[in-house]
C-alpha cells in the first residue's frame, strides 16, 4: 500500500509581533511552586552526550 503524501508546500504567514507568551516561562512560575523543587532534583542529572 502506497502512502499518499502532500506534494504542495504550504507556508503559514509569519508576523514578528505574534508572540504572546513571555520569553521566559520561569517568570510565570511562583517562587515557592513544587515544580521548582523538582527542577532542582532533575537538573543535576547528567544527560548522555551532553558535557
Amino acid at each position: 500500500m502506497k502512502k499518499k503524501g502532500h506534494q504542495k508546500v504550504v507556508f503559514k504567514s509569519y508576523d514578528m509581533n505574534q508572540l504572546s507568551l513571555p520569553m521566559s516561562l520561569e517568570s510565570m512560575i511562583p517562587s515557592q511552586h513544587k515544580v521548582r523543587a523538582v527542577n532542582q532534583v532533575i537538573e543535576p542529572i547528567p544527560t548522555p552526550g551532553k558535557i
Side-chain angles (χ1 to χ4, degrees):
M1 177 181 231
K2 290 184 180 180
K3 290 185 177 181
K4 293 183 180 180
H6 295 284
Q7 299 298 322
K8 182 179 176 183
V9 177
V10 178
F11 294 96
K12 292 185 177 184
S13 60
Y14 176 73
D15 180 8
M16 286 288 292
N17 298 318
Q18 69 187 7
L19 186 62
S20 60
L21 292 174
M23 294 307 285
S24 172
L25 293 177
E26 186 176 348
S27 65
M28 296 179 64
I29 302 169
S31 61
Q32 298 300 316
H33 196 278
K34 294 175 187 176
V35 74
R36 292 192 182 271
V38 172
N39 187 53
Q40 287 179 341
V41 171
I42 299 297
E43 276 300 310
I45 298 174
T47 304
K50 184 179 176 185
I51 297 175

